[in-house]
Amino acid sequence: MGKADNAKGDITPGRHRYSVLACVFAALGGLYFGYDQGVTGGMLAMPSFINDFCVDDAFRNCTGDTLPDDFATFVTLYNVLYYMGCALGAILGGFVADKKGRRAAVFFAAFSFVTGTSWVISTPAGMYAVVLSGRVLEGVGVGASSFSAPVYNAEMAPKEYRGALAGFMQMTIVTGLLAASAVNIVVQ
C-alpha cells in the first residue's frame, strides 16, 4: 500500500488495532456499570444478604412486610449513597481527566470501582458503615467511568469507527444489565 492510498482515506483496520482495542477496554466500564445496577436489586432480596444485614440481635424475621425500619433505612442508604458517589465520580473523573489525561481517568474509575466492590463483598455481617463506604466508592468509579470512557473513546477512536466506538459503552451497559439479570435468576 503506497502513500497515495492513505491520502484517499482508505480504511486500514490493521493500523487502528491498538486504538480499537483501547476503546473496547475503556467501554468495559459500562459493563460493570450495568452489572452493578442490575445485580443490586436481586442481591437485596437474597436470604444471605438479609441474614447478614437485616436480622438483628433479637433475630427478628426480616421477610415480607416485617422488615424493620432500620433495615429499610439501610437499603435506602445503600442505593442513595451509590448514586451520590456516581455524581461525585463524574466530577472527580472530569478533574482527573483534565489534570492527568483521559486514560488516567479511565484507570481511576476502574480502581475506584474495584476497590469499592472489594469492600462490599468482603465485609463481615453487620458492618453497615463499611458496606456503605464501599458503595460510595463503587459509585465514584461508575460516575468517573460514565464521564471519562465515552470521551476517551471519542478522542481515541479512528475516524472510520468513531461513532460506533464512542457509543459502544451504551451497549456494554445494557450487556451488563442482561448479565446481572441472568445471574439473579441462576442464584435465586
Side-chain angles (χ1 to χ4, degrees):
M1 179 180 311
K3 201 171 191 176
D5 290 334
N6 288 338
K8 290 190 234 175
D10 290 345
I11 297 175
T12 53
R15 295 187 137 167
H16 301 305
R17 187 172 299 141
Y18 173 78
S19 298
V20 170
L21 287 175
C23 289
V24 168
F25 177 77
L28 291 178
L31 193 64
Y32 61 73
F33 184 6
Y35 184 80
D36 189 65
Q37 292 286 319
V39 81
T40 298
M43 184 207 58
L44 291 173
M46 287 183 180
S48 61
F49 185 83
I50 291 172
N51 287 334
D52 285 349
F53 293 100
C54 182
V55 177
D56 61 9
D57 293 335
F59 297 102
R60 286 187 287 181
N61 183 6
C62 293
T63 58
D65 295 330
T66 62
L67 292 176
D69 289 339
D70 55 345
F71 182 69
T73 301
F74 170 69
V75 169
T76 300
L77 286 173
Y78 189 85
N79 288 307
V80 168
L81 290 174
Y82 172 79
Y83 295 123
M84 290 174 71
C86 288
L88 178 63
I91 293 167
L92 290 175
F95 179 76
V96 172
D98 285 345
K99 298 295 181 192
K100 301 291 183 185
R102 307 295 188 250
R103 183 170 39 177
V106 171
F107 282 105
F108 165 74
F111 178 79
S112 298
F113 183 78
V114 169
T115 303
T117 300
S118 298
W119 285 6
V120 170
I121 65 173
S122 64
T123 302
M127 301 289 294
Y128 301 105
V130 177
V131 169
L132 295 176
S133 298
R135 285 295 284 174
V136 171
L137 201 51
E138 280 180 324
V140 167
V142 167
S145 175
S146 297
F147 168 81
S148 59
V151 173
Y152 176 79
N153 283 358
E155 292 176 350
M156 186 75 171
K159 65 180 179 179
E160 297 91 2
Y161 309 116
R162 190 162 294 139
L165 291 174
F168 188 62
M169 187 168 172
Q170 297 304 315
M171 189 188 78
T172 60
I173 291 171
V174 175
T175 303
L177 286 165
L178 177 65
S181 296
V183 168
N184 283 340
I185 290 169
V186 169
V187 298
Q188 261 181 345

